Amino acid sequence: MNSILSDRIINMEESATLAMAKKARELKSQGVDIISLSLGEPDFKTPKHIQEAAKDAIDEGKYFSYPPVAGYQDLREAIAKKLREENEISEAKAENIVVSTGAKHSIANVFMCMINEGDEVVIFSPYWVSYAEIIKLAGGVPVLIQGTLENNFKATAAQLEAAITPKTKGVIYSSPCNPTGSVFSKFELEAIANVVKKHENIMVIADEIYEKINFAGRNYSIGSFPGMFERTITVNGFSKGYAMTGWRVGYICAPVWMAKAVEKIQGQFTSGGTGIAQRAALAGISGDQTPTTEMANAYLRRRGLVLDLLRDIPGIKTHVPEGAFYFFPDVTAFFGKSAKGHDVKDADDLCLYLLAEAHVSLVTGAAFGAPDCIRLSYAASDEELVDALGRMKKALGELA
């Protein structure tokens, strides 16, 4: 019955992170002791005051009907206040905010609103797996500019300038970055902004979903720079900083004309996000931030733990990530080697080898635009991390 399926779904790549997590779950169901370091999911529980806000919303019984398409007014006002005070996006108001079912939904909304067939979007690579597929689904053409390990995987403003053509409609990056953990400095973002401002029909999509997990100091938002508010769509949400992945609440801050367009398309596709989850999100953004700080501190400590363990594995090359909860090591030293019937030609093969022999689930860097690397999430307990890295060291040492 494949003839019934559309070309767009046949040609779409499956999310590599979700695919590897699925393989890990299948092996676990068979009784295999798998340690999964493949998903970008906090291992902490949602903070108690956020849980309680959801319970209160259920008890009140006022949030069972369809929410406003763009989100509850008080949540949008709280998000705008946060953006003004924390991100220095002084123009942010409730009318600029659209709340969606996760940041991925927010990004999909934006590209469906802005891309015509053949429009190009420049992606700072390595990049989050879904950017390119969403752009292609909307009829656009992804154009990758590649960061290198030597530059902490950060592509430059000069590369952006060289990639822009008359067909360029947008530029997208994440900072802190998934998958590399790299963070753009104020200087680097200013250089990017200066390039964009030369081209009046280009928008920046700034994915800041990991902003609360930033070890480099403060987080800079390109939408706060002079002349950039009308040129920027800031994407954020609650999944990483508030351990609310399953609650599915994300948002954009955009010029009013773009916010209205996103509200329009969301009204046809999904309507407003879940009412109870929005009440929980309001408690998260306006309530006690101590749990978020504690989680970030725990990730910083784990980063040090994993860095030491990775540096103890011959052949692994890594930078020191400045945010998020990932390492993105270069693993080319293992290409062309084999062990136990496994031939490792590339990062895909290496991940399958480590899953089969070390029982550790990782994700190939090819899915993120960097085929020489693998992504390792350290959103796991110390015990799991020590065990997983020990297993990896043993299995990698057997390759010859």
Side-chain angles (χ1 to χ4, degrees):
M1 297 295 288
N2 272 358
S3 60
I4 302 296
L5 295 176
S6 69
D7 291 343
R8 73 175 62 88
I9 194 63
I10 290 171
N11 294 330
M12 180 184 288
E13 295 287 337
E14 183 180 7
S15 167
T17 53
L18 298 181
M20 186 56 83
K22 180 180 177 182
K23 285 185 174 128
R25 284 195 301 271
E26 288 171 353
L27 288 172
K28 278 187 177 181
S29 71
Q30 297 166 19
V32 181
D33 177 23
I34 299 292
I35 300 177
S36 181
L37 305 180
S38 58
L39 274 183
E41 180 159 27
D43 62 316
F44 297 98
K45 291 183 178 179
T46 303
K48 198 70 175 176
H49 68 283
I50 298 175
Q51 296 182 39
E52 293 299 329
K55 294 175 186 177
D56 291 345
I58 292 171
D59 291 340
E60 288 173 24
K62 296 194 299 185
Y63 303 102
F64 300 149
S65 56
Y66 290 126
V69 172
Y72 289 117
Q73 182 69 17
D74 55 358
L75 176 57
R76 294 165 70 200
E77 289 175 354
I79 291 169
K81 181 175 184 287
K82 177 262 181 202
L83 290 169
R84 291 193 302 269
E85 294 179 354
E86 293 184 18
N87 303 82
E88 297 185 357
I89 303 177
S90 59
E91 298 98 326
K93 300 175 183 176
E95 63 186 2
N96 302 111
I97 310 302
V98 180
V99 178
S100 303
T101 310
K104 184 185 290 190
H105 184 203
S106 298
I107 292 168
N109 280 339
V110 166
F111 284 133
M112 292 298 288
C113 286
M114 69 182 284
I115 293 177
N116 291 316
E117 197 72 28
D119 286 342
E120 295 175 354
V121 179
V122 179
I123 303 176
F124 280 68
S125 180
Y127 61 93
W128 181 54
V129 293
S130 292
Y131 291 163
E133 293 306 309
I134 292 172
I135 290 165
K136 288 189 282 187
L137 181 64
V141 179
V143 177
L144 307 185
I145 55 174
Q146 196 71 39
T148 62
L149 176 61
E150 292 71 27
N151 194 41
N152 288 331
F153 292 108
K154 292 186 282 189
T156 66
Q159 288 175 277
L160 171 61
E161 182 83 79
I164 290 174
T165 75
K167 292 184 178 181
T168 305
K169 199 74 166 286
V171 177
I172 186 168
Y173 67 86
S174 60
S175 180
C177 177
N178 176 5
T180 67
S182 299
V183 176
F184 281 113
S185 68
K186 182 180 181 181
F187 173 79
E188 289 164 332
L189 288 177
E190 284 178 337
I192 292 167
N194 288 336
V195 170
V196 170
K197 284 189 283 190
K198 296 177 187 177
H199 306 273
E200 62 177 328
N201 293 318
I202 296 177
M203 296 292 292
V204 175
I205 299 90
D207 183 349
E208 300 185 359
I209 191 69
Y210 288 92
E211 69 161 342
K212 298 290 186 181
I213 310 169
N214 184 340
F215 317 131
R218 60 164 295 180
N219 190 74
Y220 291 96
S221 295
I222 199 168
S224 70
F225 295 168
M228 286 303 294
F229 181 74
E230 284 291 323
R231 308 293 301 279
T232 303
I233 300 156
T234 301
V235 178
N236 210 324
F238 295 81
S239 60
K240 313 302 182 181
Y242 296 95
M244 293 178 67
T245 50
W247 299 75
R248 309 310 303 133
V249 187
Y251 61 85
I252 64 162
C253 175
V256 170
W257 54 268
M258 176 59 79
K260 287 182 176 178
V262 167
E263 181 179 5
K264 182 179 180 181
I265 200 166
Q266 184 162 292
Q268 291 291 0
F269 276 16
T270 62
S271 297
T274 304
I276 305 304
Q278 288 193 52
R279 307 321 291 167
L282 178 61
I285 202 168
S286 59
D288 183 11
Q289 301 298 301
T290 302
T292 293
T293 302
E294 290 174 346
M295 284 188 279
N297 290 337
Y299 290 130
L300 177 59
R301 182 181 51 75
R302 291 175 184 175
R303 183 189 70 167
L305 171 66
V306 174
L307 181 62
D308 288 342
L309 293 169
L310 281 173
R311 285 175 169 169
D312 194 42
I313 300 177
I316 289 282
K317 292 191 294 183
T318 187
H319 75 307
V320 181
E322 294 182 306
F325 39 67
Y326 306 108
F327 277 91
F328 201 62
D330 181 302
V331 290
T332 51
F334 305 102
F335 295 176
K337 296 185 176 182
S338 60
K340 300 181 179 180
H342 298 273
D343 294 322
V344 176
K345 299 182 293 294
D346 51 30
D348 297 52
D349 289 339
L350 187 65
C351 285
L352 291 173
Y353 168 70
L354 289 171
L355 182 62
E357 300 300 330
H359 298 160
V360 176
S361 174
L362 305 162
V363 189
T364 172
F368 304 96
D372 290 344
C373 301
I374 58 174
R375 191 190 76 171
L376 180 157
S377 167
Y378 55 91
S381 70
D382 289 22
E383 293 76 16
E384 286 180 309
L385 293 170
V386 170
D387 190 0
L389 271 293
R391 295 182 191 187
M392 287 174 59
K393 181 179 180 180
K394 181 176 183 295
L396 292 171
E398 292 171 350
L399 288 168

